[in-house]
Amino acid sequence: MKLPFRSAQMRARILTGWLLASLLLTTVVSGQGTAPQTTATLSAAESKASARVRVETLREVTTALSDKAMEGRGTAQAGGERAAKYIADKFKQLGLKPLGDAGGYLQAVRFRSTEVSSETSLKVGDDSFMLGEDFVPAPPFTADKNPASAPLVIVGYGVTSEALKRDDLAGVDVKGKVVMVLRGQPKNVSAAQWAQEANLRAIAGNLIGHGVAGIIYANASTPQASYKEIADYLVRRNVALADAPAAPFKLPPIMLVSDAAANKMLAGTGTTLAELLAKAETGESVSREVSKAVAMEVTVKREQVTGSNVVGVLEGSDARLKSEAVVYTAHYDAFGITSSGKIYPGAADNALGVGELVSIAEAFTKSSPRPRRSMIFLAVTGEEYGLLGAEYWTKNPTWPLEKIAADLNFDGIGTEVYAPVKRIVGFGAEYSDLGPVMKEVLDATGMILTADPLPEEGVFYRSDHYAFVRKGVPSLMLLGGPEGETSKWIMRAQAWMATDYHQPGDIVRPDWNWDGARTVSVIGMLIGLRVANQEAMPRWLPSSPFNRARGAGEPPPSEKK
Ligand SMILES: [Zn+2]
């Protein structure tokens, strides 16, 4: 069962927090005199090719894609298809050969979209509540229409656990009832034990196992996100690949409510949310039946829709090696437009990444000699919903996976436009011999290699290159960081994440330093060029957990480290 909260986005939010922390950490490290090695240098051809990476192209593509006319480039939405056509036209203008379906640049990807419909309702006693403002339904949505009408029962944290010697369902009958669950934790239990025994999955499983008719979570805010922020995500359209299996079970309707709505529900019951929480935190049970009736219904609109990956290729110059290719990826999708007309422009995430990809394609098409291996440029859709476009392409590749030398991915939060870039994070560098290639390029360009200081955060798993990794293709995700006072730009980044990340505020700003983004493109281009011209295709390090043959499926979980 998928977690009720769209944890991917929350995790991503935490992730970027950690990403920023990583940049901070490395500043400290680099302060201790790890000056760039100057031994590695660029060849004349490399310098010439680098010079062909144009800021104008970067700015033009990023600005065009994040313009309101693209309506937030939603996956399988009109705006998304407009963006796909725009990128395909760019590829055509650059002279890339089409590598999509039927001799075109577009690869059709079928999706199933799910959107909470405005018929979704909640009534408690005589009070009706507002969708979004007061409550939001939580996925997975296992039925198009999912009603429940029953008396309300407060069940504290909703936990039944031997280990904790706790049963919040003792003394109340929850079968066929709608239960109100408090999010939180009693003071007398360690966070680790609580996470073990009282995580969302355990609580929902316990309640559903006891036959509840519906679940209402109160005190839904978390340290990472307020109810308002969570609600903003949960009411958004969700997208899955059309062939993704539907949930093999039916769940009762599940909702989160704001604190104000929870208090309104508790009005006349002799208690408030704050009182309940205070008592529950002492470890005491607060479970009891309430003489109020709940009528709740979750209704979703599902559609079979089609989106597009956009893919083109610059054929290699070497008769033998041109059958192999280096792939550049960047997702062009953002959160699109809502039924109420709200647009998510996604300028830094990830119109900028597509701008970097197109500026690299331009530099290669205008350079000679061409690289020995072929160069594929793949702008994918559906990333925001779980790397879907990249998953689809690696399952239905338009170039044999066995012949893909490496994937170089651009995705980020815009740290590269804060100021001139001096630091480069190469996520994945430690797993294959792409690492040394990158190090040489950084040394040759005076960049500071920045290791991923928080591997436990798993940044490497969270963007499109990971779809290639799962298919055995060595890959890197590149992220650029500025020079100068770190605390100053850390604050800027955190402010950005709090207000603009995956929000309508992610727009192109007048103070963007486009040269920073150009530097990231140049580094990406040089790494790809060296991989395209080297004799052998990159290999995983024998110790790498991802070490498997290209094209081979993922090993069974038992073999995973
Ligand atoms: Zn992104």
Side-chain angles (χ1 to χ4, degrees):
M1 183 165 65
K2 191 173 157 197
L3 283 179
F5 296 125
R6 282 199 210 155
S7 57
Q9 277 90 1
M10 287 304 126
R11 263 183 270 135
R13 193 182 182 88
I14 300 166
L15 142 82
T16 39
W18 288 115
L19 272 176
L20 297 161
S22 72
L23 290 168
L24 171 62
L25 264 174
T26 42
T27 316
V28 175
V29 173
S30 60
Q32 285 147 9
T34 51
Q37 324 302 323
T38 53
T39 50
T41 52
L42 297 184
S43 69
E46 287 176 331
S47 300
K48 261 203 217 142
S50 305
R52 292 211 167 86
V53 175
R54 299 174 57 239
V55 159
E56 295 74 15
T57 301
L58 254 164
R59 189 190 347 242
E60 181 205 321
V61 171
T62 307
T63 308
L65 287 175
S66 44
D67 186 274
K68 280 216 165 9
M70 294 289 181
E71 295 182 331
R73 310 184 304 279
T75 298
Q77 282 187 330
E81 291 313 291
R82 215 169 294 141
K85 185 165 178 326
Y86 171 86
I87 299 165
D89 289 348
K90 278 279 166 217
F91 283 2
K92 190 170 184 190
Q93 284 160 25
L94 293 175
L96 295 179
K97 281 192 179 157
L99 202 59
D101 300 339
Y105 292 99
L106 303 184
Q107 178 190 42
V109 184
R110 290 184 331 104
F111 294 104
R112 186 176 60 238
S113 77
T114 305
E115 195 158 358
V116 174
S117 92
S118 55
E119 290 152 53
T120 298
S121 62
L122 174 63
K123 194 170 182 227
V124 180
D126 301 328
D127 297 315
S128 293
F129 294 86
M130 294 267 293
L131 174 60
E133 180 70 28
D134 297 330
F135 75 94
V136 276
F141 304 121
T142 56
D144 290 0
K145 232 177 184 18
N146 201 356
S149 289
L152 180 63
V153 178
I154 299 170
V155 293
Y157 300 120
V159 175
T160 302
S161 158
E162 285 282 313
L164 297 174
K165 298 193 176 19
R166 178 185 193 95
D167 184 5
D168 282 308
L169 306 188
V172 288
D173 171 17
V174 298
K175 189 168 174 48
K177 309 286 174 53
V178 173
V179 294
M180 177 187 278
V181 185
L182 304 177
R183 298 293 296 137
Q185 177 195 331
K187 290 211 166 69
N188 59 351
V189 177
S190 75
Q193 228 192 345
W194 193 251
Q196 172 67 33
E197 295 293 316
N199 54 64
L200 271 163
R201 195 184 292 264
I203 292 168
N206 180 35
L207 296 169
I208 293 162
H210 281 81
V212 301
I215 301 175
I216 295 175
Y217 288 105
N219 191 36
S221 298
T222 69
Q224 289 80 26
S226 68
Y227 164 81
K228 201 162 174 297
E229 287 165 323
I230 297 169
D232 171 59
Y233 273 110
L234 289 183
V235 289
R236 288 188 199 189
R237 168 179 179 261
N238 200 11
V239 174
L241 285 171
D243 62 359
F249 42 73
K250 179 165 182 317
L251 293 176
I254 302 173
M255 292 178 174
L256 282 63
V257 295
S258 69
D259 294 1
N263 275 317
K264 199 170 166 189
M265 287 176 203
L266 294 167
T269 66
T271 187
T272 65
L273 180 62
E275 282 166 12
L276 282 177
L277 288 170
K279 197 170 171 199
E281 277 168 15
T282 65
E284 256 185 82
S285 168
V286 295
S287 302
R288 63 190 175 94
E289 302 188 10
V290 174
S291 56
K292 282 202 178 185
V294 178
M296 60 195 294
E297 180 171 299
V298 175
T299 304
V300 295
K301 197 181 71 181
R302 285 186 224 275
E303 275 182 295
Q304 299 288 335
V305 288
T306 302
S308 307
N309 285 332
V310 191
V311 53
V313 60
L314 175 69
E315 202 173 70
S317 60
D318 183 287
R320 180 173 55 84
L321 293 182
K322 70 178 181 182
S323 68
E324 296 170 355
V326 173
V327 178
Y328 285 96
T329 47
H331 74 91
Y332 73 82
D333 65 295
F335 280 97
I337 185 168
T338 66
S339 41
S340 60
K342 192 173 172 181
I343 291 177
Y344 299 90
D349 185 13
N350 192 37
L352 185 60
V354 181
E356 289 160 358
L357 180 133
V358 174
S359 71
I360 292 171
E362 181 181 44
F364 276 123
T365 55
K366 299 219 167 8
S367 300
S368 72
R370 288 205 313 269
R372 297 172 72 199
R373 288 186 173 85
S374 298
M375 311 304 277
I376 294 174
F377 299 91
L378 172 59
V380 289
T381 187
E383 189 272 350
E384 296 296 1
Y385 302 102
L387 322 183
L388 301 179
E391 290 286 346
Y392 186 84
W393 194 84
T394 54
K395 280 202 185 96
N396 310 277
T398 57
W399 189 278
L401 286 179
E402 300 73 30
K403 298 273 186 182
I404 294 184
D407 174 52
L408 301 173
N409 185 45
F410 298 89
D411 191 3
I413 54 167
T415 54
E416 67 264 46
V417 295
Y418 291 167
V421 160
K422 200 70 187 166
R423 290 181 190 80
I424 297 287
V425 180
F427 293 101
E430 67 273 35
Y431 299 124
S432 76
D433 55 19
L434 287 172
V437 176
M438 184 183 81
K439 177 78 169 75
E440 283 258 328
V441 166
L442 298 190
D443 288 348
T445 53
M447 294 292 125
I448 300 168
L449 171 64
T450 305
D452 174 6
L454 296 152
E456 71 280 5
E457 274 312 313
V459 174
F460 187 60
Y461 302 88
R462 294 191 180 155
S463 187
D464 298 299
H465 58 279
Y466 192 60
F468 286 80
V469 168
R470 293 172 67 169
K471 293 286 182 195
V473 177
S475 304
L476 282 178
M477 176 170 115
L478 294 177
L479 184 105
E483 60 189 330
E485 253 316 295
T486 50
S487 54
K488 217 170 72 211
W489 54 260
I490 293 267
M491 269 171 8
R492 173 176 173 172
Q494 280 165 336
W496 185 87
M497 277 179 18
T499 53
D500 297 343
Y501 179 60
H502 288 174
Q503 296 297 340
D506 181 3
I507 58 173
V508 173
R509 305 271 176 186
D511 65 351
W512 277 22
N513 183 305
W514 294 96
D515 275 315
R518 182 181 175 280
T519 301
V520 170
S521 303
V522 167
I523 300 295
M525 193 209 71
L526 291 168
I527 295 171
L529 182 56
R530 290 194 174 189
V531 172
N533 289 344
Q534 66 188 40
E535 266 319 307
M537 290 210 287
R539 281 163 304 179
W540 295 105
L541 302 185
S543 60
S544 162
F546 308 104
N547 181 11
R548 70 184 70 96
R550 289 171 170 81
E554 272 205 79
S558 58
E559 278 174 43
K560 275 198 180 158
K561 296 228 172 11

